[in-house]
Amino acid sequence: MIEIRNAAKIYHQGGEDVPALRDVSFRINKGEFLSIMGPSGSGKSTLLNLIGGLDQPTSGEIFIDGSPLHGISDDELTLIRRRKVGFIFQFFNLLPILTAEENVALPLLLDGFPFAQVREKAVTLLEKVGLGGRIGHRPEQLSGGEMQRVAIARALVTEPAVLLADEPTGNLDSNRSKEILELLQDLNNKGQTIVMVTHDSSAALFGTRIVRLKDGSVCEDTAADGCPA
């Protein structure tokens, strides 16, 4: 499903080479819910960016659904991101002038589909995440938890091979965080592959597997013990 082979990422800062990832190799199988953990500066966000095609490795290889993410053009990366990857961010990244249904439909609109053709799908996804009654609301009219649900629906609209979540509960209180994690867990139980970066060990347990990074390298790869109900 996703294969990372000897991936390294080096940034050049102030005339020096700063390694963010060092010779990282592992595989993510279809249907897994992988939590990536590690202290600040361990390389977890860099790794998520490489898996999502937001950046390319300095060396090594990365494949998603059989498609290489290394050594390809920016246009090719854009198409893979648009069609194979769904992104969920800590700060939601919703457009304030658009309604919930318009925000959800946006990735398909950018791919050239007319709104009339994709509106029903956007509404169905909002109903799926529990926001069927909020489709015409703009972000300023929604709570933080509701905005994150809109962002999750938007990430699902292209039917992505993998859902990438970068600290998806980092801007929410504990109750809203649990709701979002339970929603992600439910999506995973229905077959959605998910990769989540988190600093919260309790959040990581909602996944099926935990990979820990330290100084840019994998230091632990274990099954999660299970959701803290």
Side-chain angles (χ1 to χ4, degrees), residues 168-187:
T169 61
N171 204 35
L172 303 175
D173 62 35
S174 58
N175 289 332
R176 297 292 179 264
S177 294
K178 188 171 185 291
E179 290 175 3
I180 292 301
L181 291 165
E182 287 174 344
L183 175 57
L184 292 176
Q185 189 177 59
D186 182 59
L187 290 169

Side-chain angles (χ1 to χ4, degrees), residues 98-101 103 133-142 150:
L98 300 183
T99 63
E101 63 177 345
N103 267 290
R134 311 287 273 171
I135 61 174
H137 289 66
R138 290 184 168 80
E140 64 181 16
Q141 299 170 300
L142 302 173
V150 174

Side-chain angles (χ1 to χ4, degrees), residues 4 19 28 34 36 57 73 109 138 169-170 173 178 210 214 223-224:
I4 303 159
I28 304 167
L34 175 67
I36 300 175
S73 69
L109 299 178
R138 290 184 168 80
T169 61
D173 62 35
K178 188 171 185 291
I210 300 174
K214 183 179 180 181

Side-chain angles (χ1 to χ4, degrees), residues 11 21 24 38-39 67 96 101 106 121 139 159 178 182 198 214 223:
Y11 294 103
L21 287 178
V24 171
S67 300
E101 63 177 345
L106 187 59
K121 186 173 187 179
E159 301 178 24
K178 188 171 185 291
E182 287 174 344
T198 181
K214 183 179 180 181

Side-chain angles (χ1 to χ4, degrees), residues 22-35:
R22 310 167 187 260
D23 196 31
V24 171
S25 296
F26 63 91
R27 181 180 177 86
I28 304 167
N29 295 317
K30 182 176 176 60
E32 281 195 295
F33 185 164
L34 175 67
S35 299

